[in-house]
Amino acid sequence: MQNPPGVAGDDWLIKASPRMARPDAPACPAHRRMAMRPQLLAEPAVPFLPTVYEEFGFGPLFTALDLVEHRGWSVARVHAELRGTRGPFRGRGAPVHPAHLAWTAHALEQYVAARAREQAAAQESGLPPTLAVTHPWTWRTRRTDAPDVRGARQYEHTLWGRMYASADGTVRDLWLPSLSRAKTSRPEAELGAVAQVMAYGAPTPRRRARDEPPAAAAGTTRPPSLVRVFDVGCADGSVEPLLGTAPRFGEGPVEARKRFEGHAVPAFLAAATGTGTRPGESCVDCKAITGCTDLKRTPGLWGGRPPSAARKRRSLSAWDLRLHEECPAQYHLVRRLHLNDLSTENEGARRGRAVDSWLDARHGERPVRGCRDRAVPDPAALRSGTGLDETSAREAAGMLAEHRLLCPLNGLGSDERVLVQHRVTAYVPELDVVVLAVPDLVYTHRGRWIWRETKTSARPLWERKPLLRTYPQLALGVLLFHAGALGDDPRRSWVELEHLRESRGESRLESVDPGRSEVVDEARDVIAGLAQPLLGDTTYEPRTGHHCHGCRARAWCRPGTAYVTDHPLPPSPGAPSHADGPEPSVPPHSRGDLPAHD
């Protein structure tokens, strides 16, 4: 198979992890195909660039578990090591953010306790105990002289997670950590891929990323009689059995092979042979970005300056910009690491999500139909379908009633294009940044492209603050239109804000013209003022404020926890009181026994 432009190397090795078997509609087919061929490299080569902080959420946790499971350290001793860390944990990888260290200590306790509970239950049921394995299991075919129809001469299947086996080899366990609660299910194709390697894989020493595997096949000669897979939630210690613990799941190597051939093989073949491109999040890690003609180049999109130190390619969205402006630590912990303390989303956000979901479903219907004549859902129906409280359901119904007159699809011709939640992607080469935007609605009207953002609010628009500054996604839309990322002529484009409120006549529709130079200049100022601090940040220091109350990582941030303690929210009617103790979702580490920003 001929390499695409911007890619060099050989494609004879196909390496498959269970993740590649997952359905992933937004992913780029070309990216997935090349990601499964580790001997393919970007041309020109991309140098290794360190990150300011560790960006793999489980990295420090796995290092901590190695100390406990392979070196016999106590959890208390690992905690002491975490408290003394002022850079990379145990000298490995990038420095670890202080709040990430606090999360690691909490997750370690949850994980070790969950394993102990499960092992006690397993032994009560007559199963032998399982111990951590030194080398991960790998299942690999022998390298052939001639390539097959996919150009491959060798296949290698790997696993990720924590792996355990009984002393006699009859039982193998895999524990898959989740950042929040344990997942109750995973795609059948992913489980099929996992089962195959667990049943037939052999312990294999790790090698460097680009080193060739041995030519010989790798597999066990004594398959276990039972393979089990568990998902464990690092936030709450919940455990969900996924494989090998119920009759509907195969428990032995024969059943594992059937699961692999029936579900995983078709998924792997689709990923390994996919064609076409789909610009989006995949572009961040893609080897072929320099030669991809479908990714829109937008040099000088906002006139940004490259950071003083080279950084690896990143994505950037309006939400990233707003979150970093609010609190750099929250951006790093929530957007980059995806930490989640299981706190309940506030009612305003849930109400907005319910309104968006209702509108997306109606706007996505074909043939296109406006909302003017649609019936507004009853608050009781909204409440039962979304879980909103009575007040929020009533507010959502009022906002949807307001939308009927503002719906952009009212009277729209049948030949016009309507794209719901359409991803717009652009690449800023001098910054090596992939810009991602997902407007609520993009549609055409008589040759003009229109970008519609819909926002719900209990308060009116604040007239004293510029619209583009209040909603940076509008400024980003202006710049993307101006750069030709959507539609070739910005003078025939339009950016709109539909601001929905509950009361009749209080909603507004605001329009912004990306064809006017003064509007483009204002949008550049807005985005540059937000993007430059984010792209150049080297500390991700906490910035406390009212937003700390809703931060999903606040449980592990000492300044954020202190702020919430010193600035309690007024109690809502009927809300439970936490005056007698800390909030249930807050682990003890947030109260100061690990390093954080002082």
Side-chain angles (χ1 to χ4, degrees), residues 262-277:
H263 298 286
V265 168
F268 281 141
L269 290 178
T273 60
T275 58
T277 58

Side-chain angles (χ1 to χ4, degrees), residues 474-513:
L474 302 179
L476 199 56
V478 167
L479 296 184
L480 290 170
F481 264 140
H482 182 74
L486 186 65
D488 295 328
D489 187 355
R491 294 170 300 179
R492 293 183 60 78
S493 304
W494 209 258
V495 178
E496 298 176 332
L497 171 69
E498 181 180 343
H499 191 264
L500 294 177
R501 301 190 65 211
E502 174 193 5
S503 300
R504 185 173 182 178
E506 293 188 358
S507 299
R508 288 172 55 178
L509 181 64
E510 300 286 341
S511 299
V512 182
D513 184 357

Side-chain angles (χ1 to χ4, degrees), residues 218-556:
T220 181
T221 57
R222 292 179 55 204
S225 57
L226 176 65
V227 295
R228 306 189 307 162
V229 180
F230 300 90
D231 203 294
V232 55
C234 291
D236 63 355
S238 56
V239 176
E240 293 287 346
L242 300 180
L243 193 73
T245 56
R248 68 188 185 91
F249 292 130
E251 296 187 347
V254 174
E255 292 83 3
R257 176 63 60 86
K258 291 179 179 178
R259 184 184 295 276
F260 175 72
E261 293 175 348
H263 298 286
V265 168
F268 281 141
L269 290 178
T273 60
T275 58
T277 58
R278 187 175 296 124
E281 188 71 35
S282 299
C283 299
V284 176
D285 300 314
C286 189
K287 304 171 185 178
I289 191 171
T290 59
C292 181
T293 58
D294 290 331
L295 175 61
K296 179 68 177 181
R297 265 69 174 171
T298 55
L301 187 63
W302 61 80
R305 304 183 309 275
S308 56
R311 304 277 290 276
K312 72 174 187 177
R313 189 180 306 135
R314 288 179 281 178
S315 63
L316 197 67
S317 68
W319 180 237
D320 291 328
L321 297 175
R322 293 193 66 168
L323 205 61
H324 183 272
E325 180 191 35
E326 200 170 66
C327 173
Q330 185 178 198
Y331 161 77
H332 175 69
L333 299 170
V334 176
R335 292 292 285 171
R336 306 300 295 182
L337 298 177
H338 309 292
L339 303 189
N340 184 339
D341 65 2
L342 305 181
S343 56
T344 304
E345 191 175 37
N346 70 67
E347 278 296 313
R350 294 178 63 199
R351 179 196 62 207
R353 200 178 306 281
V355 170
D356 285 344
S357 179
W358 194 92
L359 293 177
D360 288 348
R362 275 67 189 175
H363 293 163
E365 291 178 356
R366 296 295 179 269
V368 172
R369 176 188 169 194
C371 296
R372 182 186 291 119
D373 300 323
R374 292 184 186 273
V376 175
D378 181 76
L382 274 175
R383 187 177 181 185
S384 63
T386 62
L388 294 174
D389 63 25
E390 185 175 350
T391 299
S392 297
R394 185 187 66 247
E395 292 171 347
M399 292 170 178
L400 291 171
E402 285 286 282
H403 166 78
R404 288 189 300 175
L405 294 179
L406 301 176
C407 179
L409 307 187
N410 290 337
L412 196 69
S414 60
D415 58 337
E416 302 288 3
R417 296 183 64 187
V418 176
L419 305 175
V420 179
Q421 296 291 326
H422 174 67
R423 185 175 295 279
V424 182
T425 307
Y427 179 55
V428 185
E430 71 274 15
L431 303 178
D432 201 17
V433 166
V434 177
V435 177
L436 303 173
V438 186
D440 293 316
L441 194 66
V442 178
Y443 64 101
T444 59
H445 181 61
R446 297 178 180 176
R448 165 180 284 181
W449 276 102
I450 302 175
W451 177 307
R452 171 73 68 101
E453 295 284 358
T454 302
K455 297 299 170 188
T456 60
S457 180
R459 295 183 295 274
L461 281 171
W462 191 33
E463 301 286 356
R464 295 171 60 184
K465 189 174 182 180
L467 191 64
L468 298 187
R469 187 67 183 80
T470 303
Y471 297 102
Q473 56 267 55
L474 302 179
L476 199 56
V478 167
L479 296 184
L480 290 170
F481 264 140
H482 182 74
L486 186 65
D488 295 328
D489 187 355
R491 294 170 300 179
R492 293 183 60 78
S493 304
W494 209 258
V495 178
E496 298 176 332
L497 171 69
E498 181 180 343
H499 191 264
L500 294 177
R501 301 190 65 211
E502 174 193 5
S503 300
R504 185 173 182 178
E506 293 188 358
S507 299
R508 288 172 55 178
L509 181 64
E510 300 286 341
S511 299
V512 182
D513 184 357
R516 296 173 56 188
S517 59
E518 60 270 29
V519 172
V520 175
D521 290 342
E522 181 185 357
R524 282 201 180 107
D525 288 342
V526 168
I527 298 302
L530 295 171
Q532 202 65 42
L534 187 157
L535 295 176
D537 198 345
T538 59
T539 60
Y540 299 121
E541 292 280 348
R543 183 181 296 132
T544 59
H546 184 79
H547 54 267
C548 292
H549 289 278
C551 176
R552 308 308 295 268
R554 188 253 303 164
W556 302 287

